[in-house]
Amino acid sequence: RTPYYARSLIGVRQLIDELGPLAEGLSVSQTAPNPLKDRSPVSVEYRALLRRLDPALQPDYIGLEGMIAAKVFTEALRRAGPQPTRERLRQQ
């Protein structure tokens, strides 16, 4: 069987659910902290946000990566000032 390697931009749980036994041996590199166990402030904030929005929501890497991206974008937008331009946003 050919090994398959994927970057963290893939939803691991969904991939396993869809591939079933074919997912055996799949390797996925994760660049974000573990959304289930990590004690980093962003992981803790993410889990708290999910609990507040809907206790049935389950943390996952894609959701945490999305939240990190949203936080970075929001901070860049804030720093770009009240009349942001593409150039100011890019510089931030």
Side-chain angles (χ1 to χ4, degrees):
R1 184 179 243 182
T2 304
Y4 183 76
Y5 301 92
R7 293 187 1 201
S8 64
L9 299 175
I10 194 164
V12 175
R13 176 72 350 219
Q14 181 181 1
L15 184 65
I16 290 170
D17 289 346
E18 290 185 20
L19 290 178
L22 293 175
E24 187 176 333
L26 173 67
S27 295
V28 178
S29 67
Q30 296 294 345
T31 57
N34 184 329
L36 302 170
K37 299 177 183 175
D38 194 74
R39 299 303 307 160
S40 67
V42 73
S43 292
V44 172
E45 179 185 1
Y46 172 62
R47 289 190 302 272
L49 176 64
L50 289 182
R51 280 192 304 273
R52 195 168 66 242
L53 292 174
D54 181 351
L57 292 173
Q58 295 299 309
D60 62 18
Y61 282 95
I62 295 295
L64 178 57
E65 289 178 9
M67 189 181 109
I68 291 169
K71 288 175 73 70
V72 169
F73 180 77
T74 301
E75 181 61 19
L77 196 56
R78 185 190 67 74
R79 290 181 185 193
Q83 304 241 329
T85 63
R86 280 186 182 186
E87 183 58 27
R88 281 192 204 146
L89 187 58
R90 187 185 65 72
Q91 288 172 350
Q92 297 308 315

